Amino acid sequence: MNRNLFFNQKIPFSENNLESIIKLCLERNQNAQSLLYKQFFGYSKSVCLRYSSNQEEAKEILNEGFLKVFNNLDKYLPELSFKAWLRTIMVNTALNYYRDNKKYNQEISFDDVEDPIYDEDIINKISADEILVLVQKLPPSYRTVFVMHVVDGYNHREIGEILEINEGTSRSNFMKARVKLQSLVQKEFPHLYKDYHQETGKHSTK
Amino acid sequence: MSIDKYNDAIKKKLESIAPKFEQTDWDEMKSFMALNVPKGSLWNRYGRFFLYSTGAILLLSSLFFNLKQNYDNKSLLKANELLLKKFDAKQVVKTEKVYQTDTVYLTKYITKWHTIDNTIAQSNFEENLKTTDSQPFITNNKIIENETKAVLLSPNRGNQTYQNTVNINKLGSQNKNNSSKDVENFQTISQTRNETFKQTFEPINVPKNTATKEINELVSDNKIQNISELNSIPFNSNAYLWTKQYPKINLITKIPVDALAQRNHITIKLPSVSLANLKYRVGVSFDVGNEQIGGSLLSDVLLSKHWSMNTGLRFLNITGKSYYTAEQYLFDTKQDFRKLYAPYVPVNDDIINLDFQNYLLQIPIGITYRYPLRNDFTLLFSATTDLDLYVGQYINFDYKEDNGKFEQGTYESKLSKSLLYNLELSAGLEKKYKRMIFQIHPYISAQLKETAYKKEEFMLGAKMRFFVNLGK
């Protein structure tokens, strides 16, 4: 808890000065809160979206996450990156949301793709929003592990500890998530694979 | 194509998403915030209520106990006063002398000549003129005696052995009784005399005064002879057969000096805090609370019947947090464990199973209000705080060495001390058995300020104490 920065130094308020916004947020100034929310809305919501199944869930996590931010701003250490701190809070809120709704999440069985093709070029041809929709279609347990590992950089042991599952389960869920995602890509964007096969055929005939 | 590149491509795509802000989003957030007003900490929410409630309870308890004590004292004083009154009354009964002024009228009779036994009359006369204390009834009686003797034994009477017999029976012994009783006695004894002497004379001149009628009648039965002789007796005007003594006033409410001193002692008595009057106890205490365990050597000083103070030396172990990994520590505390405790912990190895333990040496200071119950049981209400003498932190962790096997590492550090950082309130029960005292206290401890080793705002626990009475 280090409030000295805010109480001992006079920082002129500016919309572009994060410290001044945070200082006012600590005083429960709604305009400052609104500014902070507005500034980090996109970033925070993107974190929430990839951990949720739809827009409504994402919004719920986002609001809860921001409430935690406003209530715990005094615990924020100014020498650290605010964005990283915000991201940690959002991820934790999303994980809590997942834990709270775990019993309602049904594991869906799916047919394994016989020969999954993991090509970054195919992914690059798909828009971010389309990828997000595909990720959101993953079952929550797979999606969570997948996003934690691929996007947020947790290893499987950490994922296991945080989600209170075995490391092996985490690995298994991750693999299944990737296969499922690939099958969804193939299903949603079959033309990309036709092109891929044609290109790979050309390469092979050459 | 590689899996990593594929993952990176997905990561980039997902991170590139940036939904646009709309005013409705903030409106939703505002309404969400309004619905979830920050609750604040438990202390912030209920601290004042708790303090006021505790204060009110303490005040009410104090008032109640004082009223009860006052009532007890008053009833004891009343009982004491009653006892003193009884004691005084007994003393008064013992020393009280009831004095009466009785008037005895003497009637002169004309007697016939008879021989009477002078010696008997004389002896009776002597006896009757004595008080219970065998003292002469009045000094003037001597005069009467002498004069009567002189007349009776006058040579003018020659051979005639006349004797006036004046029966005044046991006046002295009957002084305590009323006049009617005197009269009865007089009558009884007169009648006895009648049996001894022959009734050979008759009364000639009987006064018609009603007040003296009875006596006249009684006396008329006596064998008083020679009334004319009696008439000629020159009675001394001072020789009345009555005594006059000044009444002595004995106040019932008068309290003996000793009793007064005793009463003053009771009313002015204040709790003595002189060392000579203090009662000392020494003993041990064992306490268990939320994630902490401790033991103490204690001394308890009884300042008065209701108040005592205790202090001593306390050893306390507070279980700190545990982390599975150094990364979790970083995640929770936002501090890098390796950097924080470098160079005492390996920098590049995996660190797992971090366990923090705090050991404290403290001086507990407590004050206790004691309310005695029956059968050597006492109700205890106490407030205690702790002063730190030493605070040490021990960190245990496992780290992986080159061979892949985990080794155990420890790190010991000294933490900053705190004074009066907590307030512990407890209500307990004490049982005294000879010189041994057993106490059990459930307690609630409120953290007044944050310390390096204790984060919880409230803590519940129980203490068990054993003391041995020293001194008186």
Side-chain angles (χ1 to χ4, degrees):
Chain A
M1 195 189 302
N2 185 1
R3 290 188 179 185
N4 293 345
L5 181 69
F6 305 114
F7 288 108
N8 296 343
Q9 293 179 17
K10 287 187 177 177
I11 304 161
F13 176 73
S14 159
E15 286 191 15
N16 300 321
N17 189 335
L18 181 65
E19 281 183 12
S20 65
I21 295 172
I22 291 172
K23 186 190 167 191
L24 281 178
C25 283
L26 279 166
E27 294 165 14
R28 300 267 164 198
N29 184 310
Q30 270 212 350
N31 289 331
Q33 286 178 337
S34 160
L35 274 173
L36 194 73
Y37 185 82
K38 192 177 175 180
Q39 275 194 21
F40 292 95
F41 174 81
Y43 178 73
S44 308
K45 195 166 182 186
S46 73
V47 175
C48 300
L49 278 169
R50 57 186 180 244
Y51 277 98
S52 56
S53 304
N54 49 52
Q55 287 284 336
E56 283 68 36
E57 263 188 32
K59 204 169 269 183
E60 218 173 307
I61 295 166
L62 179 75
N63 287 345
E64 197 149 342
F66 260 106
L67 188 71
K68 282 183 186 172
V69 168
F70 292 142
N71 289 341
N72 295 287
L73 259 181
D74 55 343
K75 290 174 187 166
Y76 162 64
L77 300 173
E79 58 266 24
L80 298 177
S81 158
F82 181 76
K83 217 170 180 178
W85 185 71
L86 181 72
R87 179 182 174 139
T88 308
I89 288 182
M90 291 299 164
V91 170
N92 285 344
T93 312
L95 293 176
N96 284 340
Y97 186 88
Y98 163 73
R99 280 195 210 100
D100 293 346
N101 297 281
K102 207 173 179 179
K103 56 185 176 182
Y104 305 113
N105 298 332
Q106 291 178 341
E107 299 300 325
I108 303 161
S109 61
F110 56 91
D111 300 327
D112 288 348
V113 180
E114 282 182 2
D115 186 19
I117 300 162
Y118 301 111
D119 188 1
E120 71 272 17
D121 290 335
I122 294 173
I123 298 300
N124 286 335
K125 286 174 188 171
I126 305 168
S127 73
D129 289 334
E130 285 167 337
I131 290 285
L132 179 67
V133 170
L134 294 177
V135 168
Q136 284 183 333
K137 280 183 180 173
L138 289 173
S141 56
Y142 298 166
R143 184 180 59 237
T144 307
V145 172
F146 181 81
V147 174
M148 282 177 85
H149 185 69
V150 172
V151 184
D152 293 315
Y154 289 97
N155 62 38
H156 288 292
R157 195 180 64 194
E158 288 167 342
I159 293 169
E161 282 167 3
I162 293 166
L163 298 181
E164 294 170 348
I165 55 173
N166 292 332
E167 195 177 325
T169 311
S170 171
R171 284 182 195 281
S172 163
N173 283 355
F174 174 71
M175 293 299 289
K176 285 176 182 172
R178 205 163 56 182
V179 171
K180 172 71 179 169
L181 186 67
Q182 193 53 39
S183 72
L184 285 170
V185 171
Q186 284 184 9
K187 193 179 169 185
E188 296 290 330
F189 306 98
H191 58 280
L192 293 175
Y193 284 88
K194 279 179 187 172
D195 296 343
Y196 173 79
H197 284 302
Q198 282 172 0
E199 281 177 18
T200 50
K202 280 177 189 175
H203 286 297
S204 59
T205 51
K206 280 177 185 176
Chain B
M1 181 190 74
S2 73
I3 291 293
D4 289 338
K5 281 183 180 177
Y6 177 82
N7 289 347
D8 283 343
I10 291 176
K11 184 183 175 182
K12 277 177 190 169
K13 287 280 176 187
L14 287 174
E15 282 185 335
S16 66
I17 295 165
K20 283 183 183 174
F21 171 78
E22 291 173 16
Q23 191 55 41
T24 51
D25 293 324
W26 175 242
D27 294 339
E28 277 180 31
M29 182 64 206
K30 270 203 294 186
S31 57
F32 184 78
M33 281 164 69
L35 285 172
N36 297 279
V37 179
K39 289 177 181 175
S41 67
L42 197 68
W43 178 252
N44 286 341
R45 275 185 289 162
Y46 301 111
R48 278 188 183 178
F49 173 76
F50 176 74
L51 279 177
Y52 291 155
S53 307
T54 311
I57 289 167
L58 282 174
L59 275 173
L60 283 172
S61 308
S62 173
L63 186 70
F64 169 75
F65 287 127
N66 280 315
L67 282 172
K68 185 156 189 333
Q69 214 173 341
N70 188 32
Y71 173 77
D72 287 348
N73 286 342
K74 275 184 179 174
S75 55
L76 279 171
L77 278 173
K78 275 182 186 174
N80 185 40
E81 204 164 319
L82 273 171
L83 287 170
L84 283 172
K85 275 180 186 175
K86 280 184 182 176
F87 182 72
D88 290 348
K90 277 187 180 176
Q91 275 197 339
V92 167
V93 167
K94 276 182 187 172
T95 58
E96 189 183 33
K97 288 178 181 177
V98 178
Y99 299 103
Q100 283 179 225
T101 304
D102 294 334
T103 306
V104 178
Y105 294 93
L106 292 176
T107 310
K108 298 174 182 178
Y109 296 95
I110 297 168
T111 55
K112 290 179 181 178
W113 299 104
H114 282 283
T115 305
I116 57 167
D117 188 356
N118 189 28
T119 55
I120 294 167
Q122 277 292 67
S123 65
N124 282 335
F125 189 76
E126 281 287 334
E127 282 175 13
N128 291 338
L129 289 178
K130 289 194 174 186
T131 62
T132 48
D133 302 329
S134 302
Q135 295 295 324
F137 203 65
I138 49 169
T139 50
N140 286 337
N141 287 352
K142 289 285 178 187
I143 302 165
I144 299 168
E145 189 183 344
N146 293 335
E147 286 182 358
T148 313
K149 279 181 183 176
V151 171
L152 289 173
L153 300 171
S154 171
N156 294 334
R157 302 296 170 250
N159 295 330
Q160 291 174 354
T161 54
Y162 304 142
Q163 182 152 356
N164 288 327
T165 304
V166 181
N167 281 316
I168 307 164
N169 291 296
K170 298 180 180 178
L171 274 173
S173 64
Q174 298 300 322
N175 268 344
K176 288 177 185 174
N177 302 328
N178 55 32
S179 59
S180 63
K181 280 186 178 175
D182 286 344
V183 172
E184 281 170 16
N185 287 334
F186 197 94
Q187 188 179 11
T188 316
I189 295 164
S190 298
Q191 282 169 355
T192 319
R193 290 284 159 83
N194 286 341
E195 291 169 7
T196 314
F197 303 104
K198 290 177 183 176
Q199 193 173 0
T200 55
F201 53 87
E202 291 172 357
I204 298 167
N205 183 21
V206 178
K208 290 178 183 176
N209 189 327
T210 50
T212 57
K213 193 177 180 181
E214 281 183 351
I215 300 171
N216 288 339
E217 284 170 1
L218 292 167
V219 176
S220 66
D221 293 336
N222 290 338
K223 280 69 180 176
I224 300 171
Q225 299 167 9
N226 200 359
I227 288 175
S228 61
E229 289 295 327
L230 273 174
N231 283 336
S232 67
I233 293 170
F235 261 85
N236 189 321
S237 59
N238 295 322
Y240 295 121
L241 290 177
W242 52 270
T243 59
K244 185 179 179 182
Q245 291 188 21
Y246 296 102
K248 187 179 168 186
I249 299 168
N250 281 316
L251 293 172
I252 291 172
T253 52
K254 190 182 173 188
I255 297 164
V257 178
D258 288 349
L260 265 175
Q262 197 180 353
R263 183 180 295 182
N264 287 340
H265 181 65
I266 290 166
T267 49
I268 304 169
K269 192 177 179 182
L270 291 169
S272 171
V273 195
S274 67
L275 282 174
N277 292 330
L278 291 180
K279 288 182 181 175
Y280 307 89
R281 301 158 160 193
V282 291
V284 291
S285 172
F286 176 71
D287 65 89
V288 185
N290 291 0
E291 296 181 343
Q292 74 169 43
I293 187 165
S296 323
L297 290 172
L298 284 178
S299 63
D300 197 21
V301 182
L302 274 74
L303 302 172
S304 68
K305 188 186 170 189
H306 288 294
W307 291 99
S308 72
M309 277 193 76
N310 62 69
T311 187
L313 201 62
R314 183 191 194 198
F315 178 75
L316 186 68
N317 167 226
I318 301 173
T319 307
K321 282 194 170 181
S322 295
Y323 303 92
Y324 292 114
T325 61
E327 286 69 32
Q328 193 190 353
Y329 181 84
L330 174 68
F331 184 77
D332 278 8
T333 62
K334 312 296 174 206
Q335 286 178 313
D336 192 340
F337 181 77
R338 291 182 182 86
K339 284 180 187 170
L340 200 64
Y341 296 103
Y344 303 102
V345 296
V347 180
N348 297 318
D349 296 341
D350 282 347
I351 298 174
I352 59 166
N353 299 330
L354 289 88
D355 182 45
F356 290 76
Q357 294 288 337
N358 303 300
Y359 294 95
L360 291 87
L361 199 62
Q362 298 178 314
I363 298 177
I365 298 172
I367 186 160
T368 306
Y369 180 83
R370 311 164 53 77
Y371 183 70
L373 303 171
R374 288 178 184 175
N375 300 328
D376 286 337
F377 278 101
T378 308
L379 214 56
L380 308 166
F381 300 96
S382 69
T384 310
T385 189
D386 299 309
L387 313 176
D388 291 345
L389 284 180
Y390 170 80
V391 185
Q393 188 176 56
Y394 293 82
I395 308 164
N396 294 307
F397 57 90
D398 294 330
Y399 62 97
K400 194 190 274 183
E401 286 198 328
D402 295 338
N403 57 7
K405 192 182 174 185
F406 278 100
E407 297 288 334
Q408 195 167 27
T410 54
Y411 175 72
E412 182 185 334
S413 65
K414 198 173 172 182
L415 299 180
S416 58
K417 292 176 277 190
S418 298
L419 295 176
L420 308 171
Y421 71 95
N422 67 340
L423 178 65
E424 187 182 289
L425 298 171
S426 70
L429 196 65
E430 176 187 293
K431 169 68 181 169
K432 190 180 171 189
Y433 180 72
K434 292 179 182 173
R435 292 179 80 86
M436 294 180 289
I437 293 110
F438 302 92
Q439 293 182 353
I440 185 156
H441 300 247
Y443 68 83
I444 180 166
S445 177
Q447 190 91 342
L448 301 178
K449 56 185 177 187
E450 195 173 317
T451 59
Y453 48 88
K454 212 170 187 180
K455 306 290 179 195
E456 289 174 4
E457 290 172 334
F458 285 102
M459 203 186 62
L460 295 170
K463 284 186 282 191
M464 280 159 284
R465 288 176 171 178
F466 170 73
F467 287 106
V468 177
N469 241 342
L470 297 178
K472 288 184 177 178

